[in-house]
Structures are given as C-alpha cells and as structure tokens.
Amino acid sequence: LRPVRLPRAELAAYVGAYGPRRISARDGTLWYQREARPAYRLEPMGEDVFRVHDLDYFRLAFQRDAAGRVVKLIGRYDDGREDENERTGR
C-alpha cells in the first residue's frame, strides 16, 4: 500500500551474480533472473526484502556482512521453504 523507493545508488549494492541467479539494474529498477528463465522486476518491500513482480508466492531477501556489503540472496517461498545463494560476482 505504501511503495518503498530506493535511490539508484542503493540499487547498485544488490547487482551481481548469486550462483544461478542474477540481479541487474535498468531504468532505475532491479531485475531478477534465474538461469535462462524470464527476468522479473523487483519491487522493494523494506530493508533488503523485495517482491518479485508477477510471482506472488516468492520473495527475495538479501543478507549483508558486518561491513554492510550484500553477500547472499535468499529465496523465500509461500510454503515456508527457503533457498540461498552466496554472491559469486558482480
């Protein structure tokens, strides 16, 4: 109901490769893609948590290290299941 807006500079912190998953930025928006599947727009929900547009059963969360760097992506499903991927590159 109250959309969260992130400045472009903050979006850059999430961009990168996380195992088979990739987060990219274009036109001031983050995009999620897993392997050769379609890319989905991410909508920020709060600190380090995003809704995956068109996938109501799935959310993405990012984990940071002690220095504040994004180091892990966590997929959260509506059945309570989670899967994680460490950041593997930019």
Side-chain angles (χ1 to χ4, degrees):
L1 296 173
R2 294 183 204 116
V4 176
R5 302 277 183 221
L6 295 177
R8 286 182 189 233
E10 286 186 38
L11 297 179
Y14 301 102
V15 172
Y18 302 82
R21 299 166 158 165
R22 177 163 282 296
I23 303 296
S24 59
R26 62 179 186 257
D27 301 324
T29 303
L30 289 176
W31 292 81
Y32 166 76
Q33 186 171 20
R34 185 171 185 140
E35 298 167 326
R37 298 177 190 164
Y40 293 94
R41 182 169 41 97
L42 295 181
E43 300 169 355
M45 295 179 67
E47 189 171 341
D48 296 333
V49 178
F50 293 82
R51 176 181 180 272
V52 181
H53 189 73
D54 290 337
L55 299 179
D56 290 335
Y57 61 88
F58 186 58
R59 302 287 185 262
L60 288 178
F62 293 85
Q63 187 174 47
R64 295 176 182 265
D65 65 11
R69 293 179 300 251
V70 175
V71 295
K72 184 186 289 186
L73 180 149
I74 304 163
R76 295 182 176 159
Y77 299 84
D78 64 355
D79 63 1
R81 192 170 41 99
E82 292 186 352
D83 57 5
E84 304 178 354
N85 293 101
E86 299 285 331
R87 186 177 215 152
T88 56
R90 293 257 173 215

